[in-house]
Amino acid sequence: MATMNVSPAVLGQGNKVFEDALKVRMNVFVEEQGIAAENEVDEDEPRCWHWAAYDAESRPVGAIRLVTPPHPSHTEGPEHEPVGSYLKIGRLATLKECRGKGVAKLLVETAVEFAKANPKEVNVKHVWARLGFVEDPEMGEWVEEGIMHCGMWRIGS
């Protein structure tokens, strides 16, 4: 993998990291996947921790966010939410030309490590004991913004 750097975690909007992450998200979700632009920024943004990944030229190429609890159910999502403590990580996006280079993995691991090291910041209990993503068959699959989703959570024993 070429040199990639991930920003420090930043909370909320109105900062360079959020703006860089949003550029990537708009490129991937709005321009590439056809999501309505007005739906890309939601009411969770102010309480989310955001990261952006940068290439060797300091160009933003990836984004992720961690939503702090509580996690109300989605209107278009699954009826079942996992029981217990869990991380809600979303808006994971990598520019098309950077896919397959480990950007998404780097972002997910960065977010999980942040949650593990900062439990009070993300208000999640025992998250460090639950580090494996698993598909939750009770959540099933659903279409949100015209894209198929399946319920997957990084939880453990």
Side-chain angles (χ1 to χ4, degrees):
M1 174 172 67
T3 303
M4 292 283 165
N5 296 304
V6 176
S7 70
V10 297
L11 185 62
Q13 301 162 275
N15 57 70
K16 182 179 178 355
V17 170
F18 176 78
E19 295 302 322
D20 286 347
L22 187 58
K23 286 177 192 173
V24 174
R25 288 167 41 182
M26 294 300 268
N27 181 290
V28 172
F29 299 130
V30 176
E31 295 173 29
E32 185 181 327
Q33 295 180 0
I35 301 296
E38 61 271 12
N39 294 335
E40 183 48 33
V41 175
D42 65 17
E43 65 279 354
D44 285 335
E45 302 295 358
R47 66 187 184 108
C48 289
W49 290 96
H50 299 273
W51 290 265
Y54 298 91
D55 66 11
E57 288 79 37
S58 299
R59 183 177 65 112
V61 296
I64 194 169
R65 75 177 190 181
L66 187 153
V67 185
T68 59
H71 305 301
S73 294
H74 290 285
T75 57
E76 293 183 11
E79 293 180 19
H80 168 75
E81 295 287 338
V83 177
S85 299
Y86 62 93
L87 289 178
K88 184 175 181 181
I89 297 176
R91 300 300 204 271
L92 176 62
T94 303
L95 295 182
K96 187 180 263 184
E97 65 270 20
C98 296
R99 293 182 193 149
K101 297 179 181 177
V103 177
K105 180 179 180 183
L106 181 62
L107 284 164
V108 169
E109 293 304 324
T110 298
V112 169
E113 287 303 313
F114 175 83
K116 182 177 170 183
N118 299 281
K120 291 181 181 178
E121 298 294 337
V122 295
N123 192 25
V124 179
K125 297 177 183 176
H126 310 296
V127 68
W128 27 103
R130 298 178 172 121
L131 294 177
F133 280 98
V134 296
E135 185 169 349
D136 185 340
E138 291 185 35
M139 291 180 66
E141 297 180 340
W142 66 97
V143 176
E144 185 174 327
E145 291 290 332
I147 297 172
M148 181 59 70
H149 289 67
C150 69
M152 296 188 74
W153 304 99
R154 190 165 182 159
I155 58 176
S157 57

